Amino acid sequence: MASDIVAQLADSLAKTGVEDGELSYKGQGRKLDDAQSVEEIVKEIQDFEGLQALRLEGNTVGVEAAQAIAKALETKSDFKRCYWSDMFTGRLRSEIPPALNSLGDALMLAGARLTVLDLSDNAFGPDGVKGIENLLKSTACFTLQELRLNNCGMGIGGGKILAASLTHCHKKSSAEASPLSLKVFVAGRNRLENDGATALAQAFQLMGSLEEVHMPQNGINHAGITALASAMQQNKALRILNLNDNTFTEKGAIAMAQALKHLASVQVINFGDCLVRPAGAKAIAETVSEGLPILKELNLSYGEITEEAALAVAQSVKGKDKLEKLDLNGNCLGEDGCVALKDAMESLNMGEILGTLSDDEGEPEDDEDEDEDDDEEDLEDVDEEELEEEEEEEEEEEEEHSTSKKATLSAPRPPDVSSFLSFPSPDKLLKLGANRALLIEQQFLIIFLTVTDALLRKAYSTPSFQGCSFVSSLLVLLGLIKSEDKVKPVLVVPGHLHALEHVVQQDYFPEQSVAVLEAFMSRNNKILESCGNARITLQTTLQRVKSES
């Protein structure tokens, strides 16, 4: 009898992780549609004394199920941590706000004091942000330290709602002598663009407590970067700043370099794929040389940096005994420049710190190439002026000069990418601004990942699907193993690895397959060298997922 009880307890613990006041259903792939489907979870929440954290990642939660879980949370006053990333896969976007509202209302009713709120990888858009708006403004978030909203598709509108909510929370909490002191903010792949980033920058400046900021791949150009630079300057304890794959240009890079002069605690700077260019790189080098005493990582890859600027960066890290990695790959050094850079780092006894230069773009063909994009920073303004002129002409023709001069000079708000893709037109394309190509690419990536998720989730749920064979075929197509059938590998591009990075984090993807991919990806393989940061990011993700499993 006793052995049966022990066996039941062991089975229960195997299904549900219980650790440090935490109840975990992470990665179980449960389809939780209604109250009946969550009866077990609800009972375990109710019976858990001192519940502090609930992990629902990798499950799919419907409105009724969320309401039932919320009801169980209403009495959990010790609750602190919400790990709710990737929990709406396959749900209609309209289902997500009411589900989040129910959960948020429960936490407020319980008198919870949150420290972690993670809703990453939920793709809920601006409406999803509205679903947590009341929670973020409430006393439950006065104590919030980590806010993770990576890959949620918030857009400009969602970014503004989020910024307003954080500002409201800070003001309200300050009035009660307990100001919001957010430490970690993660919002990569959200299409925030300039307006969203600028709104959030105002909230960051107000708080002044950030230690980590991760906002890669958001379509932000120099105007938004400058706003963020001003805000970062007020966050004196900042340690990690990741703005990878945004468009700084010289203006943004110089502004950020000035801000970094006031931030002695910075350890990791990731400005890779940010088009900092030579002038921006030199400004950052000056800042590194003069300060940043505990800098560990500096990434200025894929930034159109020339040999002279790269050597300035190399000299700037002299004496930085904490530095572990310098990434200048994918720039415009040329063969001689690569050799000179390696020699410079070797002369400082720091050769092992310099990352690969395998993706170097070569020297610029002529002086025009260095300056061909000088006006790119203002291209959006130029486009807007052209659009205004076109709109004035149209209005004059249609309204026979009845519109006032003030109205004709006011360009309408540019449409979002989804509007353009739904009903494309040259006018809408122009209105997307200078970053139109990047925005469309990001939207297609979201669509592609959504389709990939649906197909693979269906495949892995089919009993006849051979997962091992699928992974083997994948390795063949990537060129990591040879096929007995003489199947030729595809031309691997960064997008392939970005998609794979997303897939390996999903609950349907087997742990053993993660281990296999990690083993092959860790090998030196020239086929993947052209993928640069995408390869490194995938390797890092595989290692993390493997360690967490």
Side-chain angles (χ1 to χ4, degrees), residues 38-78:
V38 292
E39 285 180 351
E40 176 190 352
I41 294 175
V42 167
K43 187 177 187 308
E44 288 174 339
I45 292 174
Q46 291 172 337
D47 294 344
F48 199 122
E49 294 293 332
L51 179 65
Q52 295 183 19
L54 178 62
R55 287 189 174 274
L56 293 172
E57 310 105 304
N59 299 285
T60 175
V61 183
V63 177
E64 290 184 22
Q67 291 171 342
I69 293 172
K71 187 68 177 176
L73 289 172
E74 287 180 356
T75 60
K76 303 301 175 181
S77 58
D78 294 327

Side-chain angles (χ1 to χ4, degrees), residues 231-444:
M232 293 304 103
Q233 188 170 324
Q234 304 304 317
N235 289 264
K236 303 298 184 183
L238 189 69
R239 296 182 296 106
I240 300 174
L241 183 56
N242 176 8
L243 295 173
N244 186 284
D245 201 3
N246 290 291
T247 308
F248 281 42
T249 67
E250 293 93 333
K251 287 183 179 179
I254 291 171
M256 195 60 73
Q258 291 299 314
L260 288 169
K261 290 183 177 182
H262 302 272
L263 302 172
S265 298
V266 169
Q267 297 178 24
V268 177
I269 297 173
N270 186 344
F271 296 162
D273 205 10
C274 285
L275 206 67
V276 298
R277 297 198 180 123
K282 288 178 181 178
I284 293 169
E286 180 183 334
T287 296
V288 173
S289 178
E290 295 175 355
L292 304 180
I294 57 174
L295 185 65
K296 291 183 178 180
E297 294 183 22
L298 177 59
N299 184 346
L300 296 177
S301 59
Y302 302 91
E304 292 190 358
I305 298 171
T306 55
E307 177 185 349
E308 182 184 2
L311 291 174
V313 173
Q315 289 301 317
S316 74
V317 301
K318 180 179 180 180
K320 304 294 178 184
D321 54 2
K322 302 291 185 182
L323 192 68
E324 299 172 358
K325 182 179 180 181
L326 174 62
D327 191 347
L328 288 167
N329 196 22
N331 284 299
C332 304
L333 310 185
E335 187 175 343
D336 292 341
C338 288
V339 172
L341 178 59
K342 291 176 181 178
D343 289 345
M345 292 299 291
E346 289 291 348
S347 70
L348 299 173
N349 294 319
M350 302 175 78
E352 73 284 355
I353 292 173
L354 181 65
T356 179
L357 299 175
S358 60
D359 288 350
D360 188 73
E361 297 288 340
E363 296 181 60
E365 292 182 5
D366 50 48
D367 293 339
E368 288 182 7
D369 283 347
E370 296 182 12
D371 301 321
E372 67 179 353
D373 295 320
D374 281 353
D375 294 330
E376 207 171 84
E377 300 161 2
D378 303 313
L379 182 56
E380 190 170 328
D381 296 334
V382 172
D383 285 342
E384 288 176 359
E385 290 173 6
E386 292 175 354
L387 286 169
E388 285 173 358
E389 290 175 4
E390 292 174 5
E391 285 156 8
E392 286 174 23
E393 292 175 2
E394 291 174 2
E395 289 170 354
E396 287 171 359
E397 291 174 2
E398 294 175 3
E399 303 178 20
E400 296 180 351
H401 305 281
S402 62
T403 309
S404 67
K405 180 179 179 181
K406 179 178 180 180
T408 60
L409 289 174
S410 299
R413 183 184 186 84
D416 58 23
V417 180
S418 58
S419 173
F420 165 71
L421 293 177
S422 298
F423 302 96
S425 71
D427 184 54
K428 286 184 179 180
L429 181 62
L430 278 175
K431 288 181 181 179
L432 290 176
N435 291 320
R436 59 181 72 91
L438 175 61
L439 296 176
I440 294 173
E441 178 186 341
Q442 290 176 339
Q443 187 68 20
F444 272 114

Side-chain angles (χ1 to χ4, degrees), residues 200-253:
L200 285 167
Q202 294 172 354
F204 297 162
Q205 187 159 339
L206 190 64
M207 290 185 291
S209 55
L210 290 168
E211 296 180 10
E212 293 186 29
V213 175
H214 303 264
M215 296 175 67
Q217 296 183 14
N218 270 298
I220 309 170
N221 65 28
H222 72 84
I225 296 299
T226 300
L228 287 171
S230 178
M232 293 304 103
Q233 188 170 324
Q234 304 304 317
N235 289 264
K236 303 298 184 183
L238 189 69
R239 296 182 296 106
I240 300 174
L241 183 56
N242 176 8
L243 295 173
N244 186 284
D245 201 3
N246 290 291
T247 308
F248 281 42
T249 67
E250 293 93 333
K251 287 183 179 179

Side-chain angles (χ1 to χ4, degrees), residues 44 46 67 88 101 103 218 249 312 336 396 425 448-449 460 504 518 527 533:
E44 288 174 339
Q46 291 172 337
Q67 291 171 342
F88 294 115
N101 270 317
L103 293 166
N218 270 298
T249 67
D336 292 341
E396 287 171 359
S425 71
F448 177 72
L449 292 181
Y460 274 107
V504 300
E518 194 274 333
I527 292 178
N533 282 344

Side-chain angles (χ1 to χ4, degrees), residues 93 119-126 128-129 147-160 162 185-197 200 214-220 244-246 416-417 439 442-443 445-446:
R93 183 170 288 187
L119 288 165
S120 298
D121 300 316
N122 279 311
F124 48 47
V129 185
L147 180 57
R148 300 178 182 272
L149 296 168
N150 199 58
N151 192 30
C152 287
M154 290 190 290
I156 295 173
K160 288 183 175 181
L162 177 61
F185 180 82
V186 181
R189 299 182 183 177
N190 269 293
R191 297 179 288 115
L192 294 170
E193 302 180 32
N194 283 343
D195 289 349
L200 285 167
H214 303 264
M215 296 175 67
Q217 296 183 14
N218 270 298
I220 309 170
N244 186 284
D245 201 3
N246 290 291
D416 58 23
V417 180
L439 296 176
Q442 290 176 339
Q443 187 68 20
L445 179 60
I446 292 171

